[in-house]
Amino acid sequence: MNHKYIDLHLHIDGSLNVRWMYERALLRGVIPADTTFAAYYDTIFPKGEQGDALFAKFDVPLAVMQCEEDIHDACYSLLKQISEDGVIYAELRFGPQLHTRKGLSQEQALLAAISGVKDAMRDFPIKANILNAFMHAGDSARVNEKENFETLYLTRKYLGQCVAGLDLAGYENNCDLNEYAPLFEEARKLNIPYTIHAGEMGNGANVPKAIAMGAKRLGHGIFAVQDPSYVQAILDSGIPLEVCVTSNLYFGFTYATHPIRELMDKGVKVTVNSDDMTFCLNNMPYEFYMLKKVGFSDEELLQCTLNAVDAAFLSDEEKQELRKKILNEE
Ligand SMILES: [Zn+2]
């Protein structure tokens, strides 16, 4: 079994070390000075919340990622951690508009993230890129359309400088996914590759919509199993899914009942990813370990990793390098 991993779907704000967040939260004064670690820890984990309330948990890490130093250090320490887990390439989701609460511009936030990624790539045996995320906010895409367009143009400006593309993230079922079509149309014109969170939260109909918007991959996509025509749309497009099994347990699955098996057996190109390591209490080795426990063979898991190489927003040369590393050809 291979022990080198590719993680194409990893949110920085959802994957930070809790001890690190706690120390920064004290340092920045975002929690009272007498807050114990146990009390802080307790605020992070969902207690049956659903939908928007579940996503409010991201406010805990976001409270300490509002200055350049914290954003830099968050990226750096996350890449250090996953490098130790055996990840050799990662695409990190970052929503620049979420880091402007204390006066940073989206551009300052993104530059801080880029510097953290570059420093980590210098110090650890890992390669990484940032995918800037458009955010769902409120009941209409118009609520933060201006901020999302700003994210789009920033992505164009820094594409190729540890920035590899775009995503749409947040609570998926706030409004019709098609409301975001103008953003993706513009991204397509500017030759920015993008993935879209779709079919994560019970609405498989978002899968064909995201494919029609030109997504090169889908975040999750698992509720496509609701309707054979949705799965067929994935197969016809040939695009891969960024599956995050442990993360999806929040939506009622077990490892054994998760649709990853059904999708793979139907010929969908599946990749395995960790999504939000803080909230999911997982990492890439754990995802592979659990899939093996529910019957995935070493060959199938290796295929998932090779699918991730093919699906990465990288040049053919960079993919070939990764492939060699995965197959231990060097
Ligand atoms: Zn995600």
Side-chain angles (χ1 to χ4, degrees):
M1 182 171 175
N2 84 85
H3 293 284
K4 290 179 183 140
Y5 305 100
I6 309 284
D7 196 342
L8 297 181
H9 192 127
L10 182 64
H11 296 267
I12 300 169
D13 56 3
S15 301
L16 302 178
N17 177 283
V18 181
R19 178 70 66 178
W20 180 86
M21 290 193 308
Y22 171 67
E23 286 167 5
R24 289 297 162 109
L26 286 175
L27 184 68
R28 306 292 177 213
V30 299
I31 53 174
D34 61 353
T35 308
T36 63
F37 178 68
Y40 183 77
Y41 192 90
D42 209 38
T43 61
I44 290 174
F45 294 99
K47 296 173 184 63
E49 294 92 337
Q50 296 292 325
D52 267 340
L54 193 62
F55 276 79
K57 296 287 177 187
F58 283 92
D59 281 336
V60 180
L62 286 171
V64 294
M65 292 177 70
Q66 299 299 330
C67 66
E68 286 158 321
E69 187 184 5
D70 286 353
I71 295 170
H72 169 282
D73 293 355
C75 295
Y76 185 87
S77 56
L78 175 58
L79 287 172
K80 176 177 190 288
Q81 177 60 54
I82 63 174
S83 166
E84 288 165 3
D85 294 338
V87 176
I88 58 169
Y89 177 64
E91 290 182 2
L92 306 176
R93 312 294 162 119
F94 183 68
Q97 67 192 271
L98 302 175
H99 304 274
T100 58
R101 294 177 188 172
K102 290 195 175 161
L104 287 184
S105 65
Q106 286 201 36
E107 185 161 20
Q108 286 170 322
L110 177 59
L111 285 170
I114 290 172
S115 75
V117 170
K118 284 187 174 165
D119 286 352
M121 282 171 54
R122 179 196 63 211
D123 293 348
F124 313 112
I126 189 165
K127 183 177 175 65
N129 277 307
I130 293 164
L131 301 185
N132 284 326
F134 298 140
M135 297 307 302
H136 288 282
D139 295 329
S140 158
R142 274 182 289 283
V143 171
N144 62 333
E145 195 168 49
K146 185 172 153 282
E147 288 80 2
N148 280 337
F149 269 104
E150 189 180 342
T151 301
L152 169 68
Y153 293 119
L154 264 184
T155 305
R156 178 63 255 180
K157 184 171 177 184
Y158 291 102
L159 197 68
Q161 300 175 49
C162 289
V163 174
L166 282 161
D167 179 27
L168 169 62
Y171 181 55
E172 184 187 334
N173 295 339
N174 269 330
C175 65
D176 187 341
L177 200 65
N178 284 335
E179 288 190 20
Y180 296 91
L183 283 160
F184 290 111
E185 212 170 290
E186 186 69 4
R188 217 162 39 240
K189 278 189 205 151
L190 296 172
N191 289 319
I192 305 170
Y194 50 89
T195 173
I196 300 178
H197 277 71
E200 175 187 8
M201 300 172 190
N203 188 355
N206 280 343
V207 166
K209 286 182 186 175
I211 293 171
M213 279 193 253
K216 289 211 180 331
R217 312 192 305 237
L218 296 185
H220 303 277
I222 54 166
F223 277 94
V225 295
Q226 282 172 340
D227 189 308
S229 73
Y230 302 159
V231 177
Q232 195 56 47
I234 299 173
L235 291 170
D236 290 346
S237 68
I239 66 172
L241 299 187
E242 305 154 2
V243 177
C244 310
V245 177
T246 301
S247 175
N248 298 149
L249 303 186
Y250 281 118
F251 299 102
F253 300 108
T254 66
Y255 291 95
T257 63
H258 190 281
I260 186 170
R261 167 53 72 194
E262 181 182 343
L263 289 161
M264 199 169 182
D265 287 350
K266 286 183 171 160
V268 173
K269 291 175 198 159
V270 165
T271 68
V272 175
N273 309 276
S274 45
D275 207 8
D276 295 299
M277 291 166 62
T278 312
F279 301 117
C280 300
L281 293 167
N282 68 341
N283 58 19
M284 287 299 287
Y286 182 76
E287 292 299 306
F288 276 61
Y289 168 77
M290 291 308 294
L291 285 172
K292 199 161 179 187
K293 270 183 87 164
V294 294
F296 278 66
S297 67
D298 287 346
E299 291 70 28
E300 286 174 320
L301 293 172
L302 176 61
Q303 189 56 53
C304 290
T305 303
L306 293 173
N307 288 346
V309 175
D310 290 340
F313 291 161
L314 291 172
S315 68
D316 289 343
E317 294 73 27
E318 289 170 311
K319 290 183 190 183
Q320 192 52 28
E321 252 175 63
L322 285 181
R323 217 171 276 120
K324 277 187 192 165
K325 282 185 184 160
I326 301 289
L327 298 170
N328 290 314
E329 288 174 8
E330 62 172 42

